Amino acid sequence: MSDLTPSERLSKLRAVEAWLEWHLGDTRRKIAQVEQQARVVHGYITEQERKAGRPVGVTIHVADCDRIQHPVAALDATKAQYALLKDSGFNHACEHCRPDVALGITKPES
Ligand SMILES: [Zn+2]
């Protein structure tokens, strides 16, 4: 690098800086994914989905999800997993708390 001009060195250093920034962001995304998988879950909560006042399905949340407005029933992990796998047309995983990821049904996006 010593036989490079200052302009060439600066260009190379900027490329290294950009790569390091990308790598840091990628590592932080992976940390967030693993934290989501590793969190301690204390049960699951069902909530009825309604459209125009009519029931159209059930959302399943992790029990501590802050999006739960009208909880209906508490489920253990086995029942929540069964509900999401066996009747996926009616039961949906909350997109905020991702019980499907906590239960190992869905892998987090990478
Ligand atoms: Zn939720």
PDB file of all heavy atoms in Angstrom, residues 61 65 67 94 97, ligand 1:
ATOM      1  N   HIS A  61     -50.075 -15.190  19.105  1.00  0.00           N
ATOM      2  CA  HIS A  61     -49.003 -14.320  19.586  1.00  0.00           C
ATOM      3  C   HIS A  61     -48.159 -15.043  20.622  1.00  0.00           C
ATOM      4  O   HIS A  61     -48.641 -15.935  21.318  1.00  0.00           O
ATOM      5  CB  HIS A  61     -49.582 -13.089  20.312  1.00  0.00           C
ATOM      6  CG  HIS A  61     -50.457 -12.212  19.496  1.00  0.00           C
ATOM      7  ND1 HIS A  61     -49.979 -11.140  18.795  1.00  0.00           N
ATOM      8  CD2 HIS A  61     -51.801 -12.240  19.296  1.00  0.00           C
ATOM      9  CE1 HIS A  61     -50.996 -10.524  18.202  1.00  0.00           C
ATOM     10  NE2 HIS A  61     -52.105 -11.175  18.480  1.00  0.00           N
ATOM     11  N   CYS A  65     -46.461 -10.337  23.729  1.00  0.00           N
ATOM     12  CA  CYS A  65     -46.543  -9.440  22.576  1.00  0.00           C
ATOM     13  C   CYS A  65     -47.342  -8.180  22.931  1.00  0.00           C
ATOM     14  O   CYS A  65     -48.421  -8.266  23.519  1.00  0.00           O
ATOM     15  CB  CYS A  65     -47.209 -10.157  21.401  1.00  0.00           C
ATOM     16  SG  CYS A  65     -47.390  -9.105  19.937  1.00  0.00           S
ATOM     17  N   ARG A  67     -48.835  -6.282  20.888  1.00  0.00           N
ATOM     18  CA  ARG A  67     -49.904  -6.027  19.906  1.00  0.00           C
ATOM     19  C   ARG A  67     -51.221  -6.721  20.264  1.00  0.00           C
ATOM     20  O   ARG A  67     -52.208  -6.550  19.556  1.00  0.00           O
ATOM     21  CB  ARG A  67     -49.454  -6.510  18.513  1.00  0.00           C
ATOM     22  CG  ARG A  67     -48.168  -5.886  18.015  1.00  0.00           C
ATOM     23  CD  ARG A  67     -48.406  -4.481  17.490  1.00  0.00           C
ATOM     24  NE  ARG A  67     -47.168  -3.802  17.214  1.00  0.00           N
ATOM     25  CZ  ARG A  67     -46.592  -3.745  16.007  1.00  0.00           C
ATOM     26  NH1 ARG A  67     -47.148  -4.328  14.987  1.00  0.00           N
ATOM     27  NH2 ARG A  67     -45.453  -3.100  15.860  1.00  0.00           N
ATOM     28  N   CYS A  94     -48.522 -14.032  14.431  1.00  0.00           N
ATOM     29  CA  CYS A  94     -48.390 -12.572  14.480  1.00  0.00           C
ATOM     30  C   CYS A  94     -47.080 -12.185  13.793  1.00  0.00           C
ATOM     31  O   CYS A  94     -46.035 -12.778  14.058  1.00  0.00           O
ATOM     32  CB  CYS A  94     -48.389 -12.110  15.937  1.00  0.00           C
ATOM     33  SG  CYS A  94     -47.957 -10.371  16.157  1.00  0.00           S
ATOM     34  N   CYS A  97     -44.509 -10.455  16.714  1.00  0.00           N
ATOM     35  CA  CYS A  97     -43.783 -11.242  17.733  1.00  0.00           C
ATOM     36  C   CYS A  97     -43.278 -12.580  17.205  1.00  0.00           C
ATOM     37  O   CYS A  97     -42.463 -13.220  17.873  1.00  0.00           O
ATOM     38  CB  CYS A  97     -44.664 -11.443  18.964  1.00  0.00           C
ATOM     39  SG  CYS A  97     -46.160 -12.415  18.670  1.00  0.00           S
TER      40      CYS A  97
HETATM   41 ZN    ZN B   1     -47.846 -10.699  18.401  1.00  0.00          ZN
END
